[in-house]
Amino acid sequence: INHEHLSSVLTSLCVSPQQEGLDDGPDFLSEEDRGPRAVNVDLQTDATLQVDISDALSERDKVKFTVHTKSTLPNFKQNEFSVVRQHEEFIWLHDSFVESEEYAGYIIPPAPPRPDFDASREKLQKLGEGEGSMTKEEFTKMKQELEAEYLAIFKKTVAMHEVFLCRVAAHPVLRKDLNFHVFLEYNQDLSVRGKNKKEKLEDFFKNVVKSADGVLVAGVKDVDDFFEHEKTFLLEYHNRVKDSSAKSDRMIRSHKSAADDINRIASTLYTLGTQDSTDLCKFFLKVSELFEKTRKIEARVAADEDLKLADLLKYYLRESQAAKDLLYRRGRALVDYENANKALDKARAKNKDVLQAETTQQVCCQKFEKISESAKQELIDFKTRRVAAFRKNLVELAELELKHAKGNLQLLQSCLGVLKGDT
Amino acid sequence: MWFSWSPVAWCCLVSSPEAARLSAEDISPSSNGPKAEPVLLDDDPDDPDDLFAGLTSCESIELSKCYQEQDIYSYTVCVCVCVYITFLSILINFYVCVCMYMCIYIYIYIYIYIYAFIYLYVFFHIYLFVCFLFIYTLFYIIYLFIKIDHSFLCICAHMSILIVINFFVFLGDGMNAYMVYKVLTKTSLSIFSRDEVCVKRRFSDFLGLHSKLASKYMHMGYIVPPAPEKSIVGMTKVKVGKEDLSSVEFVEKRRSALERYLLRTVKHPALLKDPDVLQFLESSELPRAVSTQALSGAGILRMVNKAADAVNKMTIKMNESDAWFEEKQQQFDNLDVQLRKLHASVESLVCHRRELSVNTASFAKSAAMLGNSEDHTALSRALSQLAEVEEKIDQLHQDQACADFYLISELLGDYVRLITAVKGVFDQRMKTWAKCQDAQVMLQRKREAEAKLQHANKPDKLQQAKDEIREWEGKVQQGERDFEQISKNIRREVGRFEKDRVKDFRVVIIKYLESLVHTQQQLIKYWEAFLPEAKAIA
């Protein structure tokens, strides 16, 4: 077995997150597409512009998203239309926002992460190699599990892309961006190529310069208390969220591997039960059945934790990074403004190029003030959004944990009752 | 933590009928070899020795106390019944006396009848006495039957043996340091000289005991429980003096393994009566078992023997006449494979659960820090609550991992080793058969030689040949008898082993499921406490 086979199997899978028909309750996957989208709570379902990803196709290395738009805005030719986009095009859109000066004062919604099926592919390969050493049932079971995992990652990446688009569409300023409209409407290939080596190297240097600059800018004390406070808060918060996110990932991974072990124990018990000649055979079969069921619940617990906790932390990691970027831009504008002031003073003193210095200063002042104003609002919004998202996810996490623990308890108690009754 | 499992983690109840009394001379304190005769079990198909009315695993001392109380209860019941019968009999006797007296009164004038009457009187009393004797024995037999019935717990085995291995000391220093374990035996069995004995033993003493028992009983087909394995790495770490968790765990693991080993040994009815075992449990001084050291002469001899055995096993092709043995061997092979796989999976589960608990602890800390840096007060409080919940859950996971380990993993390890011992016993049978076959071949050869000599007409050599033939005929008969005996023993031992296995697994798995239930209940409690906090975030 190789991943070609698997991806050909999955190519026929067209995942539609919008389907109402997705089973609820037992299938944890269905809760997923409601998950990340709900991370930012106040999405205005504004009738003027509604964007979603109606379909997605997974091919060998790429994922193709079908972006569906419903709009009453006059700049679009039709009211409803769809285009096919790939991940690189999303990144292009995000970068265009970041690079444009106009949007310097807004928190740019973080770009969706690259679809990463590497871990799944590795596991599939290992499974294929180990095919000889396990029984047929074990093999089919593990294959099913891996396929489910692949499907889960796939759904998650679709949801992430959708969240990005919805946030852009909901933002009062960003939704009017021309690039965004082109992205939504232009039904041919945008021919956005991935960055080649030279551009990647340039990016790398730019990043280095930017971080050095960031340190410099951060050192400048801000006049406004609000922004000063936000700066220190965001820095600390970002670091801590990064730490928590990494640790929660590790925790969930070990939870998953413990659940896998229970799976193996269950299948060995089953073999023992079928082979045994004494009274123990019924016993073993019953216990193996129990372990199968508890394993499913444990796996679901791990998946739910992943969804509610780890994804939340990861998302806010990216968001806080975007907020930090906003503050950096503002700091940069402030430094520019102060430099322009100094230049103006110098020019006035020397009485040379005063007009030019004045215009520069004016421009810097305007820019700075515009950024400050919008940044304040954005940061307040960010806080509200964050608190609401944490609340929602923590409440849901606790409820799901309770539900699963209760289910688990009931299974165990009923099995225990049967086993004790047999003796 | 797992210290809660250690004190008196296992106790065993063995009953033994009055007939098993060993006189004090049999227990020679200086026996360190095959001088002491191995104790044979009676060739009795319904082995009354084999009464295990108790449970075999993980019972606390409270339960054994409960059994003792129930013993007292059963005793009083029996005594009351007997007293009642005695009084009844005295009453009836008295009534009969009165009747007789009345008869005497009537016939007093017919004096010749007095002699007949006296004879009648005496005869009637003897008759009554015999009746009541019969009733007494009937009651005793019922009492014994009730003892045999496992479910009738209140009148269960009233003789018990309880072995606890407890606190140990480190003697010596440096690399020559060794652990000394205190073995406490509490028993009411008559073969022990005292009710409560406490002795100090080293790990090599246990190995010495096992090697002695193996050399005496394995070739007869008894399944001798295997001793815990030597672990140079573990012991070295402990000797070096590292006080970390792994060396403490290693010591605890070894202690509980030794306890289980001793309990399994005394559960075996023949091994319990063995003088070596009694000496091990009772005498305060035991000669050092040097032959267990890996690099001694005996150790090297053992390795050579093992290699020779392995080669022999491959070359002997046994002509199996008994389908039962073939089937059982196949079964045990399969069981071995599956148990090993299960053991490996359980060990990996233990490892992952421990990892999970460590990761949960670190996540809890980081969530607490996140809560600290959060400036929205309600959210900050909720996050610190989350951190607390996760910390408690981490402790829970750790406890669960210990339960996994001490209940299931160790049991599986023990059974993997026990099955190796069982397979060893089957191999012994094969060796006996091979010896028998060899003897037959030799006999055939001697007969041929004798026939040749008869033709060659050498009278003195003929006599020698005839003597040799007789000798070998005797050996063949002995070989066949041995083979019969070992086959019978193995059948009985395997039956006992299977019974024990069923009981052990059942009890342990139920206990494990109960621990899982407890974990889930705790989880529910913690998350229920957290939920209102999360909802309170404004």
Side-chain angles (χ1 to χ4, degrees):
Chain A
I1 193 174
N2 50 15
H3 54 268
E4 272 177 44
H5 165 78
L6 185 62
S7 19
S8 64
V9 162
L10 283 175
T11 314
S12 49
L13 272 170
C14 291
V15 178
S16 329
Q18 283 291 68
Q19 267 177 15
E20 279 328 305
L22 278 175
D23 33 337
D24 48 355
D27 185 4
F28 68 94
L29 290 177
S30 68
E31 300 196 309
E32 241 199 316
D33 43 314
R34 283 180 245 135
R37 207 196 314 177
V39 167
N40 47 330
V41 177
D42 36 0
L43 275 177
Q44 270 95 25
T45 42
D46 198 347
T48 53
L49 185 62
Q50 261 180 320
V51 186
D52 59 73
I53 297 185
S54 57
D55 209 353
L57 226 69
S58 161
E59 281 175 12
R60 237 175 155 245
D61 269 335
K62 303 181 279 212
V63 184
K64 293 210 165 100
F65 304 97
T66 309
V67 179
H68 168 251
T69 321
K70 244 201 284 204
S71 165
T72 54
L73 287 176
N75 13 10
F76 294 118
K77 295 198 204 84
Q78 300 162 304
N79 274 354
E80 196 169 335
F81 47 89
S82 297
V83 289
V84 176
R85 291 283 173 249
Q86 287 185 18
H87 174 75
E88 287 82 20
E89 289 158 354
F90 284 80
I91 300 297
W92 164 81
L93 183 64
H94 175 259
D95 285 344
S96 75
F97 284 147
V98 167
E99 284 159 10
S100 114
E101 280 288 330
E102 245 181 84
Y103 305 125
Y106 304 107
I107 296 182
I108 312 290
R114 207 176 72 83
D116 181 23
F117 298 110
D118 287 342
S120 222
R121 249 181 235 138
E122 227 180 270
K123 274 204 207 161
L124 204 58
Q125 223 165 357
K126 256 196 274 182
L127 180 68
E129 282 164 15
E131 183 175 352
S133 68
M134 48 181 112
T135 63
K136 189 118 199 320
E137 298 103 31
E138 259 180 57
F139 181 70
T140 38
K141 242 197 295 185
M142 289 199 75
K143 194 164 104 159
Q144 271 172 3
E145 258 174 64
L146 273 179
E147 282 177 0
E149 204 181 295
Y150 197 97
L151 195 61
I153 299 178
F154 182 69
K155 278 196 177 181
K156 221 199 283 202
T157 185
V158 165
M160 294 280 181
H161 286 77
E162 197 177 30
V163 164
F164 171 69
L165 286 180
C166 291
R167 286 234 11 234
V168 173
H171 196 282
V173 176
L174 290 176
R175 75 207 313 221
K176 303 196 191 109
D177 184 55
L178 188 62
N179 279 337
F180 184 49
H181 291 176
V182 166
F183 178 89
L184 288 178
E185 203 178 2
Y186 189 63
N187 50 11
Q188 279 163 32
D189 195 9
L190 283 174
S191 32
V192 167
R193 52 173 176 74
K195 301 189 170 147
N196 61 16
K197 277 214 186 93
K198 179 157 164 272
E199 282 174 354
K200 281 201 185 137
L201 208 63
E202 275 176 16
D203 267 347
F204 174 68
F205 279 124
K206 251 196 275 180
N207 273 337
V208 170
V209 168
K210 184 169 157 209
S211 42
D213 198 24
V215 171
L216 219 77
V217 162
V220 174
K221 177 110 176 46
D222 204 320
V223 194
D224 194 341
D225 267 344
F226 173 76
F227 284 105
E228 187 63 31
H229 165 78
E230 284 294 313
K231 204 171 16 176
T232 40
F233 166 70
L234 266 179
L235 201 64
E236 206 189 356
Y237 190 75
H238 176 77
N239 288 336
R240 298 229 170 127
V241 167
K242 201 177 354 190
D243 187 43
S244 296
S245 166
K247 298 235 168 86
S248 73
D249 272 343
R250 263 210 299 251
M251 176 174 87
I252 288 165
R253 253 204 308 266
S254 35
H255 207 146
K256 280 204 185 117
S257 40
D260 282 339
D261 280 328
I262 298 183
N263 194 19
R264 257 181 301 202
I265 291 177
S267 55
T268 320
L269 276 176
Y270 182 76
T271 334
L272 263 176
T274 47
Q275 278 177 0
D276 204 295
S277 57
T278 62
D279 289 341
L280 277 184
C281 62
K282 273 183 292 176
F283 202 79
F284 279 147
L285 287 173
K286 198 108 214 339
V287 175
S288 129
E289 204 184 299
L290 170 74
F291 276 149
E292 278 282 336
K293 295 198 193 128
T294 50
R295 180 202 74 82
K296 287 210 183 84
I297 294 188
E298 289 278 338
R300 220 166 286 157
V301 168
D304 283 338
E305 276 181 2
D306 190 23
L307 205 60
K308 300 294 169 194
L309 199 56
D311 280 351
L312 174 75
L313 290 171
K314 272 194 269 234
Y315 191 77
Y316 274 96
L317 179 66
R318 290 200 300 272
E319 276 269 334
S320 55
Q321 181 63 44
K324 264 173 59 178
D325 285 343
L326 169 66
L327 279 179
Y328 160 72
R329 287 197 291 269
R330 181 177 171 279
R332 175 90 253 153
L334 176 65
V335 165
D336 286 342
Y337 179 43
E338 283 183 354
N339 286 344
N341 270 339
K342 280 193 212 136
L344 181 62
D345 287 338
K346 240 198 290 186
R348 284 211 178 118
K350 282 197 200 150
N351 220 344
K352 210 172 42 156
D353 297 326
V354 174
L355 199 63
Q356 193 187 12
E358 256 180 21
T359 41
T360 330
Q361 197 250 19
Q362 283 275 3
V363 161
C364 285
C365 177
Q366 262 177 341
K367 185 167 128 182
F368 174 66
E369 262 157 28
K370 180 166 148 226
I371 290 183
S372 291
E373 207 180 296
S374 54
K376 197 167 195 154
Q377 189 53 44
E378 287 279 314
L379 285 171
I380 293 175
D381 280 345
F382 172 65
K383 181 163 168 176
T384 338
R385 260 203 320 260
R386 187 179 75 233
V387 169
F390 265 83
R391 176 182 195 279
K392 181 165 192 289
N393 277 305
L394 286 177
V395 166
E396 281 179 1
L397 175 71
E399 282 174 353
L400 281 170
E401 291 262 3
L402 270 175
K403 179 173 117 177
H404 291 313
K406 284 191 181 140
N408 215 350
L409 182 67
Q410 197 193 29
L411 262 182
L412 283 170
Q413 275 174 336
S414 71
C415 183
L416 207 55
V418 169
L419 289 177
K420 276 192 180 153
D422 271 349
T423 54
Chain B
M1 264 227 297
W2 38 262
F3 274 119
S4 61
W5 296 104
S6 61
V8 217
W10 283 62
C11 89
C12 152
L13 298 170
V14 168
S15 76
S16 164
E18 320 263 359
R21 273 179 206 279
L22 268 179
S23 56
E25 301 97 70
D26 288 308
I27 308 173
S28 44
S30 58
S31 81
N32 193 9
K35 194 164 48 137
E37 272 304 305
V39 176
L40 290 167
L41 280 180
D42 307 327
D43 290 337
D44 193 353
D46 329 316
D47 206 349
D49 286 353
D50 208 14
L51 301 170
F52 295 117
L55 303 162
T56 58
S57 60
C58 290
E59 300 291 316
S60 59
I61 243 184
E62 285 87 74
L63 196 60
S64 77
K65 258 196 244 155
C66 158
Y67 273 114
Q68 285 170 3
E69 279 165 17
Q70 284 171 331
D71 293 339
I72 294 172
Y73 172 69
S74 67
Y75 258 129
T76 45
V77 161
C78 288
V79 162
C80 281
V81 165
C82 293
V83 163
Y84 173 71
I85 291 171
T86 317
F87 271 120
L88 202 66
S89 68
I90 289 172
L91 214 68
I92 292 173
N93 228 358
F94 183 70
Y95 178 69
V96 164
C97 278
V98 165
C99 283
M100 284 290 176
Y101 202 76
M102 302 274 279
C103 294
I104 290 168
Y105 210 74
I106 292 167
Y107 288 114
I108 199 120
Y109 299 107
I110 312 164
Y111 118 116
I112 41 167
Y113 285 120
I114 282 181
Y115 288 106
F117 162 70
I118 287 173
Y119 279 127
L120 230 122
Y121 183 77
V122 168
F123 175 73
F124 193 72
H125 270 241
I126 291 172
Y127 170 73
L128 268 181
F129 177 69
V130 164
C131 264
F132 282 116
L133 205 65
F134 174 70
I135 292 172
Y136 279 135
T137 43
L138 199 70
F139 267 99
Y140 185 68
I141 290 170
I142 292 172
Y143 170 74
L144 280 181
F145 266 110
I146 287 167
K147 224 167 52 143
I148 295 171
D149 188 358
H150 295 246
S151 61
F152 207 80
L153 282 179
C154 28
I155 311 181
C156 65
H158 63 288
M159 298 191 192
S160 61
I161 179 167
L162 169 67
I163 295 185
V164 174
I165 296 187
N166 243 327
F167 307 104
F168 26 73
V169 203
F170 230 149
L171 291 184
D173 53 349
M175 287 313 286
N176 293 329
Y178 58 93
M179 274 264 174
V180 168
Y181 302 93
K182 274 214 268 189
V183 179
L184 168 70
T185 313
K186 274 198 195 146
T187 175
S188 51
L189 285 172
S190 44
I191 48 176
F192 287 88
S193 52
R194 282 170 293 176
D195 273 350
E196 207 170 302
V197 190
C198 185
V199 292
K200 296 192 172 66
R201 294 281 176 258
R202 288 180 62 161
F203 185 67
S204 52
D205 294 336
F206 288 87
L207 294 179
L209 175 70
H210 170 70
S211 69
K212 272 189 251 167
L213 291 176
S215 62
K216 277 198 278 183
Y217 291 101
M218 279 279 266
H219 66 89
M220 290 203 303
Y222 291 162
I223 299 175
V224 176
E229 283 158 356
K230 262 184 184 280
S231 164
I232 302 177
V233 174
M235 265 327 267
T236 319
K237 265 210 275 190
V238 175
K239 283 183 192 178
V240 164
K242 274 169 46 144
E243 279 300 322
D244 67 347
L245 195 65
S246 68
S247 58
V248 173
E249 256 180 45
F250 170 79
V251 167
E252 172 57 32
K253 204 167 108 161
R254 175 162 278 195
R255 187 206 65 83
S256 68
L258 288 173
E259 217 174 67
R260 285 196 306 272
Y261 164 66
L262 275 186
L263 282 164
R264 281 217 179 87
T265 311
V266 296
K267 247 181 21 169
H268 194 296
L271 296 181
L272 175 61
K273 302 181 211 149
D274 185 273
D276 277 327
V277 170
L278 292 169
Q279 182 195 25
F280 182 88
L281 289 175
E282 287 192 322
S283 71
S284 42
E285 277 306 313
L286 200 66
R288 268 291 300 279
V290 277
S291 62
T292 58
Q293 280 170 355
L295 292 175
S296 68
I300 294 175
L301 194 65
R302 247 200 321 252
M303 277 195 283
V304 168
N305 275 338
K306 251 198 240 176
D309 278 345
V311 169
N312 272 340
K313 212 165 119 172
M314 287 190 278
T315 52
I316 296 178
K317 245 325 169 199
M318 181 161 174
N319 196 359
E320 188 58 76
S321 51
D322 198 342
W324 186 90
F325 280 96
E326 220 173 293
E327 187 193 317
K328 278 293 169 193
Q329 205 146 9
Q330 185 63 34
Q331 253 178 26
F332 278 120
D333 281 337
N334 289 341
L335 193 64
D336 190 27
V337 165
Q338 293 304 322
L339 279 183
R340 272 183 213 270
K341 244 185 12 177
L342 192 62
H343 184 57
S345 311
V346 171
E347 291 210 311
S348 127
L349 176 66
V350 169
C351 176
H352 283 139
R353 254 209 240 271
R354 291 222 169 108
E355 202 184 291
L356 176 62
S357 102
V358 163
N359 287 343
T360 313
S362 72
F363 174 69
K365 278 197 211 100
S366 122
M369 290 216 313
L370 188 64
N372 278 342
S373 68
E374 176 65 60
D375 56 357
H376 187 264
T377 38
L379 183 57
S380 161
R381 200 173 47 230
L383 282 173
S384 2
Q385 281 288 54
L386 181 69
E388 264 178 48
V389 166
E390 292 287 341
E391 218 178 288
K392 286 192 212 145
I393 290 180
D394 126 64
Q395 187 60 39
L396 207 63
H397 280 308
Q398 209 173 18
D399 289 342
Q400 181 63 51
C402 285
D404 289 348
F405 181 70
Y406 282 105
L407 279 179
I408 305 257
S409 177
E410 290 285 275
L411 175 79
L412 288 174
D414 283 348
Y415 266 93
V416 164
R417 278 198 300 270
L418 268 172
I419 289 192
T420 321
V422 169
K423 287 214 252 190
V425 151
F426 276 100
D427 290 340
Q428 287 288 336
R429 179 169 171 274
M430 252 200 328
K431 268 209 280 204
T432 318
W433 181 85
K435 245 192 346 199
C436 186
Q437 289 298 98
D438 286 344
Q440 278 187 339
V441 162
M442 274 309 279
L443 180 66
Q444 193 62 27
R445 249 188 255 162
K446 295 291 176 191
R447 286 216 173 109
E448 284 170 5
E450 191 228 3
K452 258 194 269 176
L453 283 173
Q454 271 201 330
H455 286 302
N457 210 356
K458 286 193 188 137
D460 48 341
K461 282 211 178 136
L462 201 63
Q463 188 55 38
Q464 188 189 12
K466 281 210 185 354
D467 287 336
E468 279 181 358
I469 285 179
R470 225 171 301 140
E471 181 194 335
W472 279 101
E473 273 175 358
K475 281 203 185 140
V476 164
Q477 273 177 357
Q478 180 64 31
E480 279 174 0
R481 262 206 304 270
D482 281 342
F483 185 69
E484 286 293 316
Q485 184 65 31
I486 198 176
S487 300
K488 203 154 61 138
N489 283 343
I490 288 182
R491 273 183 203 261
R492 187 179 38 203
E493 286 289 296
V494 164
R496 203 177 58 87
F497 175 77
E498 291 283 283
K499 247 201 310 190
D500 281 345
R501 183 166 74 91
V502 167
K503 229 190 314 198
D504 271 346
F505 271 91
R506 203 169 251 167
V507 168
V508 164
I509 288 184
I510 286 185
K511 252 214 161 50
Y512 178 64
L513 290 181
E514 281 172 356
S515 82
L516 283 177
V517 163
H518 173 76
T519 309
Q520 294 301 321
Q521 282 169 335
Q522 291 293 94
L523 267 179
I524 289 178
K525 213 167 63 175
Y526 296 148
W527 284 111
E528 271 177 354
F530 174 69
L531 193 56
E533 279 290 337
K535 287 199 172 143
I537 304 173

